[in-house]
Amino acid sequence: MIPVNGFRITCSIVLVTLSLSVLGQRQMEALDRGLIGLPTGKGGVFLSWRLLGNESMDTGFDVFRRYEGGQEEKINDFPLTNKTYFEDLHVDLDRKPGYFLKSESQGRSKQISVWEKSYLEIPLQIPEGYRPNDTSVGDLTGDGRYELVVHMSGRSKDNSQNGFTDPPILQAYSLEGRMLWEINLGINIREGAHYTQFMVYDLDGDGIAEIACKTADGSRDGLGKVIGDGTQDWRNEDGKILQGPEYLTVFSGQTGQALSTVDYIPGRGDLCGWGGEGGNGGNDCTGNRVDRFLAGVAYLDGKKPSLLMARGYYGRSVVAAWDFDGEELKSRWVFDSEGRENPYSGQGNHSLSINDIDGDGKDEVVYGAMAIDDDGSGSYSTGLRHGDALHVSRFHPDYPDQLVWGIHENETNETGFGVALYNARTGEIIWGAAEGTDVGRGLAADIDPRHEGAEFWWNGTEGLYNFQGEEIGEKPNSINFAIWWDGDLLRELLDENRIDKWDYKEERLRNLLTAEGSGSNNGSKATPALSADLFGDWREEVIFRTEDNQSLRIYTTTEATSHRFATLMHNPQYRLSIAWQNVGYNQPPHTDFYLGVGMEAPIRPEIEVVKISE
């Protein structure tokens, strides 16, 4: 392990905080209570609901049960002011109970029914030859509930492979399985993990989410209208699309209608100018490097969201910021690292992260081993080059800034770190390891309460490391996603269709959930359709596809917790990480505050919940 500049934490560092007035007021979704009820397996019902980000932390709730055809009955003795769950142990499930909440802040909630199983199954209308893949969420109808946008994937190819693919398809569903619309991106958009990055977010502040993605001649919106020239086929003999116009389109979340289409920035330009095979040397002219896309949403002014669309990361990287006013996309700025000697060249990743890393209330883009400021200028470059995995959060309760845990490909640079922990604001490397190595995966999460802050581990090492870079034991054999699932502040581990708890004393994984009949996505990446705090209390849900590819299943916890937080979806950084989770090599979401053992109460930024326009 190599500490850089001899850095060691030897005493508590005073946490620098910002007043809410500095943070400003961000536009956020006007979510409903998100009440859910699940059978516990012991004859009872586990109820869970949201505390909203603009509510007092001691908001009280009363829980009411009403049997079919019967009278409502309050089933808690005192207002629930310290938790956002309740177990009804005296219910008669044969009488088909319904539940609702009452609170001073939001009044009476919608009544819900109890799930029939331990998961919610959402039937899908699968196009022939397709299967559900990455999924995102947004309020597409303005009712305070999330709907799902599902990327339906047919034949796909990696950028490095020749061959024809099926057109990517996006479908929207309610939680009851009602399909709202279908967008077919057409033959001139190739199918694969690096091509179709789709953003689902309320970009114009009208209370209804939009969908934004790259389009081309022949793309068809949710109303059947063709974008561009539907007669054109720009595919070459290898199945790649290296000619023809490229567009960026924003679609209505309600109908799938194309609302605004502009030329995609940047265009292809010199096909050979986006980096070489192997990352550092030579030029790739086959379309492998030029068609690597990323996307995100960021609050570049601290108040309203902007759309980010990006191209390239092995060599040249371009990030274009757009604003959408409900009718028209307008360019905000363009960052371009063109030039082999540019310090920002070749520093991109297979994903990105959107974070307020400098504490000015405006978001920056952590684009792998470099960062871009809210005005589109470069913030810093670490020089650690391209990588496969990326995690950004406050990984230590006493460290004053957010941290980046970067996983890099440095097999061509014997002195370059394959993994590094560095300051997200300055790019200063705290410690690094695995020199001269292409490290494919790494994870950061608080999984051992005996050591302050998060723990860190990666492929190619047997050890688990603490914040100082010291080996503290054997690492878990799970290096994919992290998820807050059970009732404590430690994070659990999600891989394939399993959720496991790290037993730090025995140094072994203990299974909490195996989603029988469900599977993961994206081959060896083994990622869920989505992991996010979709409803219920602050713990996260996970969405898997069924093994027969006909449905999605949403799993949630029924474990009690002594902790109460506002919904993570009203934490700005966490919510944006749900928007970009489908991008490239999917990565787990993180909050902008330290959530773990030894945490302080998180600073809650002022937010403006946006309701649908009347």
Side-chain angles (χ1 to χ4, degrees):
M1 194 56 47
I2 300 179
V4 177
N5 298 325
F7 183 89
R8 286 287 187 268
I9 284 188
T10 58
C11 61
S12 295
I13 300 172
V14 177
L15 181 63
V16 178
T17 61
L18 297 170
S19 69
L20 297 181
S21 61
V22 173
L23 288 172
Q25 194 171 62
R26 293 186 177 219
Q27 166 193 315
M28 299 293 285
E29 295 154 312
L31 299 174
D32 70 6
R33 193 54 69 193
L35 175 65
I36 55 172
L38 288 80
T40 62
K42 300 178 181 179
V45 173
F46 183 89
L47 299 157
S48 179
W49 60 91
R50 294 185 182 110
L51 179 70
L52 303 177
N54 58 347
E55 290 182 307
S56 170
M57 288 301 294
D58 60 358
T59 297
F61 297 94
D62 287 320
V63 184
F64 291 81
R65 181 208 305 131
R66 183 166 63 188
Y67 290 114
E68 195 172 74
Q71 298 295 315
E72 63 187 49
E73 175 186 7
K74 186 164 78 78
I75 58 176
N76 58 302
D77 295 328
F78 303 99
L80 304 173
T81 59
N82 61 355
K83 60 183 181 180
T84 44
Y85 77 93
F86 186 81
E87 294 183 75
D88 185 2
L89 303 176
H90 306 290
V91 61
D92 183 351
L93 289 171
D94 292 334
R95 295 175 61 190
K96 297 182 179 179
Y99 294 91
F100 62 90
L101 302 172
K102 288 184 179 179
S103 65
E104 291 184 1
S105 58
Q106 205 180 48
R108 177 173 174 151
S109 74
K110 300 170 186 175
Q111 182 169 312
I112 58 100
S113 300
V114 179
W115 292 7
E116 295 181 359
K117 300 178 181 179
S118 59
Y119 52 81
L120 180 64
E121 183 148 350
I122 301 171
L124 305 174
Q125 299 179 36
I126 307 295
E128 185 176 355
Y130 283 73
R131 58 190 271 179
N133 197 268
D134 293 340
T135 297
S136 193
V137 296
D139 184 355
L140 305 183
T141 61
D143 64 354
R145 304 175 73 218
Y146 283 126
E147 283 77 37
L148 309 179
V149 177
V150 187
H151 178 182
M152 295 293 178
S153 175
R155 289 180 302 164
S156 66
K157 294 289 183 181
D158 187 79
N159 296 54
S160 62
Q161 300 171 339
N162 293 335
F164 292 86
T165 74
D166 291 323
I169 291 175
L170 300 177
Q171 293 181 341
Y173 290 90
S174 71
L175 293 177
E176 292 74 32
R178 179 172 62 92
M179 191 169 83
L180 305 181
W181 45 256
E182 177 179 289
I183 296 169
N184 189 315
L185 295 179
I187 61 173
N188 292 312
I189 295 291
R190 212 163 184 241
E191 171 64 66
H194 306 295
Y195 296 102
T196 301
Q197 325 301 343
F198 63 102
M199 291 294 101
V200 181
Y201 206 86
D202 181 7
L203 297 171
D204 59 358
D206 67 350
I208 297 176
E210 286 76 39
I211 294 83
C213 64
K214 187 172 180 282
T215 56
D217 281 342
S219 295
R220 190 171 63 248
D221 74 6
L223 300 183
K225 183 178 179 181
V226 174
I227 295 170
D229 184 349
T231 67
Q232 293 290 338
D233 182 348
W234 294 102
R235 296 173 295 180
N236 65 19
E237 60 185 8
D238 294 324
K240 296 191 175 183
I241 304 156
L242 304 178
Q243 292 182 321
E246 300 176 284
Y247 306 122
L248 170 62
T249 300
V250 173
F251 299 90
S252 164
Q254 286 181 306
T255 65
Q257 177 185 8
L259 301 177
S260 178
T261 296
V262 296
D263 290 337
Y264 190 89
I265 296 177
R268 299 181 187 92
D270 178 8
L271 295 181
C272 306
W274 295 88
E277 298 295 341
N280 290 325
N283 289 318
D284 162 51
C285 306
T286 68
N288 184 6
R289 300 299 192 243
V290 67
D291 274 359
R292 303 279 178 150
F293 299 100
L294 300 177
V297 174
Y299 288 79
L300 300 175
D301 65 359
K303 296 181 180 180
K304 295 181 180 180
S306 297
L307 176 66
L308 302 174
M309 303 301 287
R311 183 176 218 144
Y313 40 76
Y314 285 100
R316 183 185 178 192
S317 296
V318 183
V319 180
W322 299 86
D323 294 331
F324 180 65
D325 62 5
E327 296 182 357
E328 185 180 3
L329 275 165
K330 296 180 180 179
S331 176
R332 186 181 186 92
W333 50 250
V334 178
F335 170 91
D336 193 340
S337 75
E338 187 173 18
R340 186 176 293 275
E341 302 305 318
N342 190 313
Y344 293 91
S345 178
Q347 306 303 318
N349 197 285
H350 282 291
S351 62
L352 51 67
S353 186
I354 309 299
N355 321 84
D356 178 12
I357 57 176
D358 58 9
D360 65 354
K362 303 175 183 179
D363 288 329
E364 285 73 45
V365 184
V366 178
Y367 201 81
M370 67 179 185
I372 303 168
D373 207 350
D374 55 76
D375 62 359
S377 62
S379 294
Y380 62 81
S381 172
T382 65
L384 293 176
R385 301 199 62 78
H386 164 74
D388 285 359
L390 179 70
H391 306 278
V392 186
S393 186
R394 287 193 182 275
F395 288 126
H396 195 283
D398 294 331
Y399 191 78
D401 292 319
Q402 293 207 55
L403 293 153
V404 179
W405 177 235
I407 309 302
H408 305 280
E409 294 182 14
N410 264 318
E411 73 278 13
T412 58
N413 182 359
E414 294 182 358
T415 61
F417 292 129
V419 299
L421 182 68
Y422 62 89
N423 184 299
R425 178 175 57 84
T426 66
E428 179 185 8
I429 299 172
I430 297 172
W431 59 265
E435 301 94 319
T437 304
D438 176 356
V439 179
R441 294 192 185 189
L443 196 54
D446 185 16
I447 61 173
D448 188 336
R450 299 172 299 182
H451 302 270
E452 195 171 30
E455 284 70 48
F456 306 87
W457 65 107
W458 62 93
N459 277 350
T461 181
E462 298 298 322
L464 181 68
Y465 293 82
N466 65 11
F467 177 77
Q468 286 84 6
E470 301 163 338
E471 185 172 351
I472 59 175
E474 185 176 336
K475 82 172 192 295
N477 188 27
S478 182
I479 320 176
N480 197 357
F481 265 54
I483 185 170
W484 285 291
W485 184 262
D486 67 7
D488 63 26
L489 295 176
L490 297 173
R491 214 165 185 193
E492 285 65 58
L493 303 178
L494 167 61
D495 192 14
E496 296 181 335
N497 66 340
R498 305 186 314 274
I499 295 175
D500 297 305
K501 182 81 170 178
W502 179 242
D503 184 333
Y504 52 88
K505 294 181 179 178
E506 298 292 331
E507 294 189 335
R508 54 172 295 211
L509 293 170
R510 298 189 182 277
N511 185 251
L512 301 181
L513 171 73
T514 298
E516 300 290 350
S518 298
S520 57
N521 292 336
N522 302 313
S524 63
K525 299 295 183 286
T527 51
L530 183 71
S531 71
D533 180 13
L534 298 176
F535 33 59
D537 64 24
W538 60 276
R539 272 87 59 83
E540 296 174 288
E541 283 70 44
V542 60
I543 306 179
F544 296 116
R545 63 175 176 87
T546 54
E547 289 179 338
D548 64 6
N549 294 320
Q550 297 304 301
S551 302
L552 294 177
R553 289 178 180 172
I554 305 181
Y555 292 82
T556 189
T557 185
T558 57
E559 295 194 36
T561 178
S562 60
H563 304 283
R564 183 192 234 204
F565 302 115
T567 173
L568 300 185
M569 295 299 254
H570 275 169
N571 177 256
Q573 178 171 307
Y574 182 92
R575 180 62 186 91
L576 296 178
S577 68
I578 301 306
W580 58 245
Q581 189 178 135
N582 69 80
V583 169
Y585 292 168
N586 302 15
Q587 301 291 292
H590 298 286
T591 57
D592 60 15
F593 60 91
Y594 173 70
L595 203 170
V597 174
M599 67 179 291
E600 296 181 352
I603 296 175
R604 303 176 70 194
E606 290 182 350
I607 62 173
E608 177 187 1
V609 294
V610 179
K611 297 182 179 180
I612 185 172
S613 302
E614 298 294 340

